[in-house]
Amino acid sequence: PSWTEAQCTQWNGGVSQSAINPHSGNYSCKISAPWGGGKGGYAAFNVCADTDYVFNFWARCDKAGVNSNASVTVNELVGIGWATTTYSETPLMSSTVFGDKLSNEWKQFTYVFHSKNAATVHLVIDGLDEAEPIYLDDITLQKSCLKNGAFETDATGWSGLGDAETKWDKGSHTSGVGSLQPITHYQYQEVRTEFSVKPYTNYKVSFNYQGIPNWLTVKIKYNNNNEDLLYQDQVAKLCNIEQESWHVWSNGSLIFNSLNNSGLLLTFMSPVQVTGGQYDCGRLDDIYIVEQLDNTITVDDGSKPLFSVDKTSVASGDTVTVRLKAPLSDFVFEGEDDKVLRFVP
């Protein structure tokens, strides 16, 4: 939202409009706790039943070192009384690792939750310091293609191929109360989940990882054959971490095009070093797959842009504009008029 006055009325609590240093546009949402600290405000959203959702927003404070105890919670609304708001017994998502990441610079925050019912949910910003506001801007709420990427109650929807196992773990997580622990016994074993997509559409996959990646691999496949891949890369590379060292929670992401598929598999495959016994592949949390909102995709080789296209979803016969970002001599053109044109940098 651009946080016009009308949009601010969708929020409740110590909420106002601010024109000071918005992340984009002319305004941001200012949330404060002027009466001694504590609750700041909430926003209401309607959700469908049994669906994964992705909250994404930008946040900042006036200065660093304040609001370190601020938290983000997503609650299902049960009722609103004269003086109290009643929520379901267990939050759909809660994260206390929010305030300690805030500073006077805009930072992006992303949280995944799973709705139980078709209901109204509240995004609550809580635990503010007195007279130290938090500013929010550019909030989006998207449906994820996954059935269960938040792991708030279990690992339903995920399965192991062969002897591989999926364990719901409450020991470590980035939000909520649980995460997914893939366990394999031999090399090339996979844990996986199925998801639906629109054909010829660009999607973003995001995940949080903790552990020793050891060449753990993420794949997008269109059937069980290991050769039928849309995407494959190593978790360590996507998270920008070392292969053989233990790491705290790190985020990795990738973008792929669904081509002519309507159903795909997201898999995590065990590394080649596994030769027997039980191998802990680490932890995964807040996994989501969403359609790209931006209708322009730029492809690069890691150091310079190569080309961009003006669509993320096309059907047969559609016209797509391709804009070269590098000299024509950097490309080799392959294909025929009636086939897909492929660029090889």
Side-chain angles (χ1 to χ4, degrees), residues 74-78 86-88 90-92 116-117 119-122:
V74 178
N75 295 297
E76 181 180 319
L77 180 65
V78 175
T86 306
Y87 295 124
S88 57
T90 304
L92 299 178
K116 298 177 182 178
N117 306 298
T120 298
V121 300
H122 284 179

Side-chain angles (χ1 to χ4, degrees), residues 248-285:
V248 297
W249 285 104
S250 304
N251 178 258
S253 64
L254 60 97
I255 295 175
F256 72 93
N257 189 280
S258 57
L259 298 183
N260 64 337
N261 299 284
S262 58
L264 296 170
L265 292 167
L266 171 64
T267 76
F268 290 87
M269 186 183 74
S270 59
V272 296
Q273 286 85 348
V274 179
T275 57
Q278 179 172 296
Y279 180 76
D280 183 352
C281 294
R283 307 291 188 277
L284 294 161
D285 199 8

Side-chain angles (χ1 to χ4, degrees), residues 208-252:
N208 292 327
Y209 176 80
Q210 178 198 62
I212 305 174
N214 268 339
W215 289 269
L216 181 69
T217 303
V218 59
K219 299 180 179 182
I220 305 294
K221 304 166 63 174
Y222 51 90
N223 62 40
N224 289 326
N225 191 329
N226 277 328
E227 303 301 320
D228 297 331
L229 296 173
L230 291 181
Y231 186 96
Q232 173 179 291
D233 214 334
Q234 294 171 358
V235 167
K237 178 181 177 182
L238 296 174
C239 294
N240 194 28
I241 56 179
E242 296 180 357
Q243 295 280 13
E244 299 179 345
S245 300
W246 189 91
H247 297 275
V248 297
W249 285 104
S250 304
N251 178 258

Side-chain angles (χ1 to χ4, degrees), residues 71-228:
S71 63
V72 177
T73 307
V74 178
N75 295 297
E76 181 180 319
L77 180 65
V78 175
I80 298 180
W82 179 76
T84 60
T85 300
T86 306
Y87 295 124
S88 57
E89 184 175 350
T90 304
L92 299 178
M93 190 287 300
S94 61
S95 177
T96 56
V97 287
F98 167 63
D100 57 354
K101 296 183 179 180
L102 287 169
S103 72
N104 59 336
E105 300 290 335
W106 285 106
K107 291 186 179 181
Q108 189 175 31
F109 295 86
T110 303
Y111 299 100
V112 182
F113 71 92
H114 187 86
S115 62
K116 298 177 182 178
N117 306 298
T120 298
V121 300
H122 284 179
L123 170 64
V124 182
I125 307 295
D126 202 356
L128 280 70
D129 294 341
E130 182 179 1
E132 295 292 351
I134 293 176
Y135 301 85
L136 302 182
D137 207 354
D138 296 331
I139 295 178
T140 61
L141 176 66
Q142 284 183 272
K143 289 183 180 180
S144 173
C145 297
L146 298 183
K147 294 292 186 181
N148 182 14
F151 310 112
E152 294 307 292
T153 57
D154 52 39
T156 299
W158 291 78
S159 60
L161 184 64
D163 294 332
E165 306 171 46
T166 56
K167 177 183 177 182
W168 184 59
D169 182 66
K170 296 182 68 174
S172 182
H173 42 81
T174 51
S175 67
V177 297
S179 62
L180 175 69
Q181 180 184 7
I183 298 176
T184 60
H185 301 275
Y186 300 95
Q187 61 184 10
Y188 306 131
Q189 290 189 323
E190 295 179 345
V191 296
R192 56 175 53 191
T193 187
E194 299 178 354
F195 61 98
S196 298
V197 292
K198 296 191 300 186
Y200 300 105
T201 302
N202 283 330
Y203 288 89
K204 177 182 179 180
V205 181
S206 177
F207 60 90
N208 292 327
Y209 176 80
Q210 178 198 62
I212 305 174
N214 268 339
W215 289 269
L216 181 69
T217 303
V218 59
K219 299 180 179 182
I220 305 294
K221 304 166 63 174
Y222 51 90
N223 62 40
N224 289 326
N225 191 329
N226 277 328
E227 303 301 320
D228 297 331

